[in-house]
Amino acid sequence: MNVSKKKFGEIENRSVVLYTITNGNGMSVSCINYGCIITDIQVPDKNGNLENVVLGFDTIEEYLNDTAYFGAIVGRTAGRIKGAQFELDGQTFTLEKNENSNHLHGGHNGFNRVIWQAEMIENGVVFTHVSEDGEGGYPSTLNMEVKYLLNNENEFTITINGVSDKNTILNCTNHSYFNLSGDIKRDILNHTLSLKSDKFLPIDEKLLPTGELADVSGTPFDFQNGQKIVAGTETDFSQNHLAGKGYDHPFVLHSNQDQEIYLVDEVSGRTLTVETNQPGVVIYTSNQLDGDFKIRGVQARPYLGICLETQGLPDAIHHPHFPTIVLVKGNEYTAVTTYRFGVI
Ligand code: G6D
């Protein structure tokens, strides 16, 4: 196992460093201390060819211009907070309205825009950041730690910890876009996804959960026995159209750290198994990925990547029947997600 670093760029005279963790099989994970962004994951296909399986860039300028959160840690709260406001302990807190009247992904200066402190450790990298009381409108001073670890079983684990000096809300995720074809040879429409989930959260026209927990059976949201992603783009099911022809939905996971998510690309033979201690996952099939830019030479377009955003349920602060995202003063928030790569 090897961990190396090199300069990636600068932001206002502050260094941004690229870290690369390489295991004994040649698999590697590269990341930068800006947003804890995962820039590259090299894994073998069925013939042993090492290729990159996440969307990313090679310059800090591209990440500064990125609005798709490629590879970033998202927080303090992933997803949308309705009305950019919430009540806690009798107080009302007003957050930044960075998407119409709502708050998305921690606001314009969320965790994805932070230059984190970083330290190389055995088998990985640890990032730390102190989010000051009132930052983004959130209460409490919050001590954050993000740990990226790789082992020789081609398992990459993200552990996100947070401790707060007051009651607050916290619900983080990693926003990597996976594409198992390798170096974006193809889009992800013919990837097959399996989920241990029989409930999904319908969204409204502003992509906020309505609060309903809907059965997946008989809908394009039933991934219990494996289904190609294209099922969500060719259907006339209203929820897929609301998401912009695809998926942009939370799913409730009914197991814990037990192969909850399985993604396979039959052509390359690559597989990805995801296990998490989080109650949900937002599946986003990059329906809105568009624009006048290239991703390592490939023109941006929808369906180039699939996000498997393991997390608490979005906007849970407004839905008491969802698992809570309140972090009580002095308690520790711990989100653990493992990504195991293999071949069929
Ligand atoms: C779109 O609705 C989606 C979000 O889920 C995603 O995180 C973002 O694009 C990058 O707003």
Side-chain angles (χ1 to χ4, degrees), residues 87-131:
E87 278 208 21
L88 185 61
D89 302 334
Q91 270 192 275
T92 299
F93 297 95
T94 301
L95 305 173
E96 188 185 355
K97 295 182 179 177
N98 62 316
E99 189 187 63
N100 306 316
S101 60
N102 299 315
H103 178 80
L104 171 66
H105 287 345
H108 278 131
N109 297 306
F111 289 170
N112 61 303
R113 295 293 182 196
V114 168
I115 299 176
W116 293 64
Q117 297 300 311
E119 181 190 351
M120 295 194 293
I121 58 172
E122 191 181 0
N123 306 342
V125 186
V126 176
F127 300 97
T128 54
H129 168 60
V130 177
S131 177

Side-chain angles (χ1 to χ4, degrees), residues 245-284:
K245 286 188 72 180
Y247 300 90
D248 191 356
H249 293 77
F251 287 77
V252 180
L253 296 169
H254 57 57
S255 69
N256 190 308
Q257 294 182 291
D258 178 17
Q259 303 181 47
E260 290 88 332
I261 304 165
Y262 180 68
L263 186 68
V264 58
D265 170 43
E266 280 83 4
V267 175
S268 68
R270 289 190 179 92
T271 66
L272 170 58
T273 303
V274 181
E275 301 184 334
T276 185
N277 70 343
Q278 294 298 290
V281 59
V282 169
I283 302 293
Y284 174 51

Side-chain angles (χ1 to χ4, degrees), residues 84 87 92 97 139 143 147 169 209 212 220 222 254 280 286 298 321:
E87 278 208 21
T92 299
K97 295 182 179 177
N143 283 281
K147 190 181 292 183
I169 58 174
E212 182 193 356
D222 189 349
H254 57 57
S286 56
V298 176
H321 57 301

